[in-house]
Amino acid sequence: FQPRLDQAKINLRGFDVKNELYRLPQSVISALALFYNLKSKNTLQQIDELEKRKVISSEGSCRLRRALRSILQMRFQTHLFYK
Protein backbone atom coordinates (compact mmCIF):
# COMPACT_ATOMS: atom_id res chain seq x y z
CA PHE A 1 0.00 0.00 0.00
CA GLN A 2 1.37 3.37 -0.99
CA PRO A 3 -0.93 6.33 -1.52
CA ARG A 4 0.06 8.70 -4.29
CA LEU A 5 -0.15 12.11 -2.66
CA ASP A 6 2.30 14.24 -4.60
CA GLN A 7 2.08 18.03 -4.52
CA ALA A 8 0.16 18.28 -7.79
CA LYS A 9 -2.50 15.92 -6.48
CA ILE A 10 -2.71 17.78 -3.18
CA ASN A 11 -3.15 21.09 -5.03
CA LEU A 12 -5.82 19.51 -7.24
CA ARG A 13 -7.57 18.20 -4.10
CA GLY A 14 -8.26 14.94 -5.87
CA PHE A 15 -7.50 11.39 -4.86
CA ASP A 16 -8.38 7.79 -5.64
CA VAL A 17 -10.80 6.77 -2.88
CA LYS A 18 -10.41 3.05 -3.49
CA ASN A 19 -6.61 2.92 -3.58
CA GLU A 20 -5.73 5.71 -1.18
CA LEU A 21 -8.43 5.34 1.48
CA TYR A 22 -10.13 1.95 1.25
CA ARG A 23 -7.25 -0.42 0.50
CA LEU A 24 -5.27 -0.01 3.74
CA PRO A 25 -8.02 -0.83 6.28
CA GLN A 26 -9.47 -3.51 4.00
CA SER A 27 -6.04 -5.15 3.59
CA VAL A 28 -5.34 -5.09 7.33
CA ILE A 29 -8.75 -6.62 8.11
CA SER A 30 -8.25 -9.28 5.41
CA ALA A 31 -4.82 -10.14 6.84
CA LEU A 32 -6.33 -10.50 10.31
CA ALA A 33 -9.08 -12.67 8.84
CA LEU A 34 -6.47 -14.98 7.33
CA PHE A 35 -4.38 -15.02 10.51
CA TYR A 36 -7.36 -15.88 12.72
CA ASN A 37 -8.88 -18.21 10.12
CA LEU A 38 -12.19 -16.35 10.00
CA LYS A 39 -15.10 -17.84 8.07
CA SER A 40 -16.55 -14.49 6.94
CA LYS A 41 -15.63 -13.16 3.50
CA ASN A 42 -17.22 -9.70 3.80
CA THR A 43 -15.06 -7.00 5.46
CA LEU A 44 -17.82 -5.76 7.77
CA GLN A 45 -18.65 -9.32 8.82
CA GLN A 46 -14.95 -9.96 9.45
CA ILE A 47 -14.90 -6.97 11.81
CA ASP A 48 -17.87 -8.46 13.68
CA GLU A 49 -16.14 -11.83 13.91
CA LEU A 50 -12.90 -10.22 15.16
CA GLU A 51 -14.92 -8.46 17.85
CA LYS A 52 -16.67 -11.68 18.89
CA ARG A 53 -13.27 -13.37 19.22
CA LYS A 54 -12.06 -10.43 21.33
CA VAL A 55 -9.28 -9.59 18.85
CA ILE A 56 -10.58 -6.02 18.71
CA SER A 57 -12.76 -4.17 21.20
CA SER A 58 -16.37 -3.21 20.55
CA GLU A 59 -15.31 0.44 20.38
CA GLY A 60 -12.61 -0.45 17.85
CA SER A 61 -15.01 -2.43 15.70
CA CYS A 62 -17.56 0.39 15.83
CA ARG A 63 -14.94 2.91 14.69
CA LEU A 64 -13.69 0.62 11.93
CA ARG A 65 -17.23 0.07 10.61
CA ARG A 66 -17.94 3.80 10.73
CA ALA A 67 -14.69 4.61 8.90
CA LEU A 68 -15.32 1.99 6.22
CA ARG A 69 -18.89 3.15 5.69
CA SER A 70 -17.68 6.73 5.24
CA ILE A 71 -15.02 5.62 2.76
CA LEU A 72 -17.51 3.47 0.84
CA GLN A 73 -19.96 6.37 0.73
CA MET A 74 -17.24 8.61 -0.75
CA ARG A 75 -16.39 5.89 -3.25
CA PHE A 76 -20.04 5.56 -4.28
CA GLN A 77 -20.38 9.34 -4.67
CA THR A 78 -17.23 9.36 -6.80
CA HIS A 79 -18.68 6.68 -9.07
CA LEU A 80 -21.90 8.66 -9.46
CA PHE A 81 -19.98 11.86 -10.16
CA TYR A 82 -17.96 10.29 -13.01
CA LYS A 83 -20.84 8.33 -14.51
Side-chain angles (χ1 to χ4, degrees):
F1 169 77
Q2 184 175 0
R4 198 189 117 232
L5 294 174
D6 55 29
Q7 192 60 45
K9 202 167 196 182
I10 291 169
N11 291 341
L12 180 64
R13 293 181 175 231
F15 54 91
D16 183 350
V17 173
K18 181 178 180 181
N19 290 321
E20 295 170 3
L21 292 178
Y22 181 72
R23 284 287 180 224
L24 179 63
Q26 191 269 334
S27 296
V28 170
I29 294 165
S30 291
L32 287 170
L34 286 172
F35 183 80
Y36 287 102
N37 197 28
L38 302 183
K39 304 296 182 217
S40 304
K41 301 298 179 195
N42 175 294
T43 303
L44 294 174
Q45 291 173 349
Q46 289 170 342
I47 292 170
D48 291 338
E49 198 170 338
L50 288 167
E51 180 185 354
K52 286 178 189 169
R53 292 185 183 201
K54 306 249 186 255
V55 175
I56 58 176
S57 68
S58 65
E59 181 181 352
S61 69
C62 180
R63 289 177 185 220
L64 273 172
R65 282 192 297 273
R66 193 174 334 141
L68 284 172
R69 284 188 182 117
S70 294
I71 292 167
L72 290 171
Q73 183 178 13
M74 282 188 271
R75 189 171 171 206
F76 182 70
Q77 289 172 340
T78 302
H79 281 286
L80 290 176
F81 179 79
Y82 287 109
K83 218 170 186 189

